[in-house]
Amino acid sequence: MAFLSQRKKLTAVAAAFCVATGGLIIATPAALADPDSSQTIGQGTSVASLEVQLAATRTRRENALTAASEANELYQRSRDELDAAKANLESTKKATENARTESAKARAELMQVVTAVYRDSSVSLAALAPYLEEGGLEKLETQQIFQEKFGDLAQKKLQKFQASEAVVRVLEKQASSDLKRQESATAAVKKNSEDARLKATQLGQELQNIENRREQLIAQLASLRHRSVAEERAHQENLEAEADARAEATARNRMRAEQNREDKAAAEAARNQRAIAEAKARQEENQRRAEAEAARKAEEERRKAAAAAEKAKREKDSKARAEQERRAREAATEARRQEERRRAAEAAREKARKEREAEAAREKARREREAAAEARRQEERRRAAEAEAAREKERQKAKENASLPAASGSSGAIAWARTKIGIPYLWGGDSDAGYDCSGLVQGAWRSQGVYLPHSSRRQYWSGTHVSYENAKPGDLLFWSSNGSSGGIFHVAIYTGNGRMIEAPYPGASVTETSVRYRKLMPNVVRLG
């Protein structure tokens, strides 16, 4: 928010700075001295030092206005939530009353059937009494014999009555829950209202202190430069206007550079995906060829092995008969030796088995640790990829929406807003007595039959997102303290050619001015 353009207005408002919420007006003290305003500047103070201090007052003022806007935004959101809670409670109450009426009708129908059975049969009045008592139909033992005494039609009526009673109980429980939600929302509105009014009071004090300090510094600079205070003030206003212009140009260039970077990154990502797909296809083709070659060689080796086995079998058969007797003689000796070797081998295998199990257990534990670490890394990469994909999806969606026509009623909304130029900013205001930023936007579009919530953050989700480069008259502009929708604190109406209409902040009036790019969200919202 431009410091220079509102300095004269701030001087007039300093005597009685007011903010409003609901129907309450809070007047700030007429003049509050800056904590260090009584200190004198020694002879050693330089012009450069005073100008640094003067620049610091601009930063203090901008931060104070942002904090007050965020507090107002929180209050407006709690008001919307309270309205929703009231509507839910009223709807549940009406539904509960209707359910009770239906339950009474079902009970009356049931009693008609029961009474008719009494008249047309031998059922005694004493037997009928338990079903006519209050709550008599809810008893389990009563329900078990009900059908036997009164028949299928009465049983159907009983089931209808029981179903209607169940609906009543569910709705009564929901009404209790809705009442608690309304009470919680009411408490939140009260707390946020008090917090916002305190912020507004502090804002008035802070703005007065800043203005007093600024005038003091200008007077000191005028003395050091041997010129009048009016000349020094005009000089500082020129410097501040130039600084604002440079800052706006820097912000605009940064936004364009970021857009170009995102476009290049998307193109590079697409190229990388194509390259990966091509490499994967080549790898699969090479693997297929390698598998085919391996299968051919395996078949060739199998044939060779079969031939060798057949040859060996013939040779073995020819020698088997000659060696049969020798083997028989040596069999007993060999059996003893084999038993000894078997026992030794069994002991060695058992020892080796235990060693392998111990090693396997250690290896398993190591792999599990590595797998857990890798799983954590993969989960972190997955979440990062999902977050980037979500941001990319929003950017792509905004680009896809670039061709959407301007919202129906845009010219009417802009015309309505222009009729409010000059009306003072009023915290929480939504009438010609005064408007805040979201109240002005709400009123402009309400004049065209479009109803928006009185919250800039909720207004951000009330239409289609389009990149700022494709903004059209009537689109909504938003400013955020942290670059996300959760940090939105200000909203305005785009009128075309880099211009907008807004209710800036306390002490200012509704105005049409150039778009500010510092803290501006990259997407606008198109209604309709």
Side-chain angles (χ1 to χ4, degrees):
M1 299 180 184
F3 182 87
L4 171 63
S5 63
Q6 300 302 328
R7 187 188 60 77
K8 294 182 179 179
K9 294 180 180 179
L10 198 58
T11 301
V13 174
F17 177 79
C18 295
V19 293
T21 175
L24 300 177
I25 303 296
I26 303 170
T28 61
L32 296 170
D34 190 79
D36 61 352
S37 63
S38 62
Q39 297 180 5
T40 59
I41 304 301
Q43 295 180 352
T45 301
S46 65
V47 170
S49 174
L50 293 175
E51 289 183 335
V52 168
Q53 295 179 53
L54 194 60
T57 62
R58 299 181 68 216
T59 301
R60 285 175 55 195
R61 181 178 184 279
E62 185 170 325
N63 292 340
L65 288 171
T66 298
S69 295
E70 290 177 340
N72 179 37
E73 171 61 26
L74 184 59
Y75 165 66
Q76 296 298 346
R77 286 185 61 189
S78 63
R79 281 180 57 187
D80 289 343
E81 291 168 0
L82 176 56
D83 291 341
K86 289 180 178 178
N88 288 341
L89 178 58
E90 184 63 25
S91 176
T92 304
K93 285 182 177 179
K94 290 180 180 179
T96 303
E97 289 302 320
N98 292 337
R100 286 173 178 160
T101 301
E102 291 299 319
S103 177
K105 289 169 60 178
R107 184 181 182 88
E109 292 175 2
L110 177 59
M111 290 301 99
Q112 288 176 358
V113 174
V114 172
T115 304
V117 172
Y118 163 70
R119 292 196 188 101
D120 299 337
S121 67
S122 59
V123 178
S124 67
L125 185 60
L128 184 63
Y131 308 102
L132 301 177
E133 295 175 355
E134 184 68 25
L137 292 171
E138 283 76 17
K139 296 178 182 179
L140 180 59
E141 61 273 13
T142 302
Q143 295 178 26
Q144 291 174 339
I145 61 175
F146 185 83
Q147 187 173 11
E148 299 175 3
K149 287 183 176 292
F150 300 105
D152 292 339
L153 178 59
Q155 179 67 14
K156 291 179 181 179
K157 295 295 183 179
L158 173 62
Q159 292 173 351
K160 180 179 178 181
F161 168 70
Q162 290 172 332
S164 64
E165 282 292 286
V167 172
V168 170
R169 288 193 294 272
V170 170
L171 288 174
E172 286 175 343
K173 184 177 180 181
Q174 181 63 40
S176 177
S177 176
D178 288 346
L179 179 60
K180 291 179 180 179
R181 190 176 296 111
Q182 177 179 312
E183 291 171 349
S184 176
T186 301
V189 168
K190 181 179 179 182
K191 179 182 180 300
N192 292 334
S193 175
E194 292 171 352
D195 291 346
R197 285 187 289 181
L198 178 59
K199 283 284 187 182
T201 301
Q202 293 171 346
L203 172 64
Q205 296 170 348
E206 180 69 5
L207 293 179
Q208 185 61 60
N209 291 342
I210 291 169
E211 180 63 14
N212 292 342
R213 182 58 177 161
R214 183 176 185 278
E215 289 299 314
Q216 183 184 58
L217 291 172
I218 287 175
Q220 292 169 358
L221 283 169
S223 176
L224 289 175
R225 288 173 168 155
H226 305 293
R227 59 171 62 156
S228 70
V229 172
E231 290 173 335
E232 182 61 31
R233 185 181 295 110
H235 174 67
Q236 291 300 325
E237 289 174 351
N238 289 334
L239 292 178
E240 290 164 358
E242 293 172 359
D244 279 344
R246 288 192 299 272
E248 286 296 310
T250 299
R252 174 77 177 198
N253 293 336
R254 185 183 300 112
M255 177 180 288
R256 289 175 175 172
E258 177 65 18
Q259 186 65 42
N260 292 336
R261 186 192 67 76
E262 292 175 356
D263 292 343
K264 290 180 180 178
E268 181 64 23
R271 287 195 297 272
N272 291 340
Q273 289 296 327
R274 288 195 298 273
I276 291 172
E278 293 171 357
K280 184 177 180 180
R282 289 194 298 270
Q283 181 180 4
E284 291 175 349
E285 177 61 21
N286 292 337
Q287 183 176 357
R288 185 189 63 76
R289 292 178 179 177
E291 290 174 352
E293 179 63 18
R296 185 189 64 76
K297 290 182 178 180
E299 178 62 22
E300 184 177 345
E301 291 295 328
R302 187 192 64 77
R303 288 195 297 269
K304 290 180 179 179
E310 181 63 24
K311 180 180 179 180
K313 182 178 181 299
R314 288 193 301 268
E315 291 176 352
K316 181 179 180 181
D317 290 342
S318 65
K319 293 178 181 179
R321 290 184 295 272
E323 295 179 355
Q324 185 174 7
E325 292 181 0
R326 181 181 60 81
R327 289 199 301 271
R329 290 191 300 269
E330 296 176 350
T333 302
E334 182 61 24
R336 289 192 298 272
R337 292 175 180 173
Q338 287 181 354
E339 178 62 19
E340 293 173 354
R341 289 195 295 270
R342 186 191 65 77
R343 291 178 180 178
E346 184 65 24
R349 285 195 297 273
E350 179 65 18
K351 181 180 179 181
R353 183 185 64 78
K354 292 180 179 180
E355 291 177 351
R356 286 195 301 273
E357 287 178 351
E359 179 62 25
R362 291 192 294 271
E363 179 64 18
K364 181 180 178 182
R366 182 187 65 79
R367 287 196 299 269
E368 288 176 349
R369 290 193 299 271
E370 291 179 352
E374 178 62 23
R376 288 193 298 271
R377 290 191 293 271
Q378 289 180 356
E379 179 63 16
E380 291 172 355
R381 289 193 293 269
R382 184 188 66 78
R383 290 178 179 176
E386 287 178 352
E388 178 60 28
R391 290 191 294 270
E392 180 62 23
K393 183 178 179 181
E394 183 175 353
R395 290 192 293 267
Q396 291 300 325
K397 188 65 177 177
K399 289 181 179 179
E400 293 171 2
N401 294 333
S403 61
L404 292 177
S408 175
S410 295
S411 59
I414 292 172
W416 184 94
R418 281 174 172 156
T419 65
K420 311 305 176 184
I421 291 176
I423 293 177
Y425 180 100
L426 183 62
W427 185 79
D430 56 6
S431 68
D432 285 354
Y435 292 93
D436 62 9
C437 61
S438 54
L440 179 66
V441 171
Q442 184 186 50
W445 279 100
R446 185 171 56 231
S447 71
Q448 304 303 304
V450 178
Y451 297 91
L452 300 175
H454 195 152
S455 165
S456 56
R457 293 179 189 176
R458 291 193 174 183
Q459 288 174 359
Y460 183 74
W461 298 106
S462 297
T464 302
H465 291 169
V466 179
S467 63
Y468 173 78
E469 298 299 326
N470 297 290
K472 295 183 178 180
D475 290 348
L476 306 186
L477 307 176
F478 296 85
W479 286 259
S480 171
S481 59
N482 58 13
S484 72
S485 61
I488 290 175
F489 62 87
H490 187 56
V491 62
I493 303 174
Y494 185 67
T495 59
N497 298 321
R499 304 278 291 175
M500 65 179 180
I501 296 179
E502 64 171 344
Y505 49 82
S509 299
V510 176
T511 184
E512 183 168 2
T513 184
S514 298
V515 173
R516 294 184 301 280
Y517 296 95
R518 283 172 291 179
K519 301 182 179 180
L520 179 66
M521 291 285 283
N523 293 334
V524 301
V525 170
R526 186 162 299 162
L527 302 175

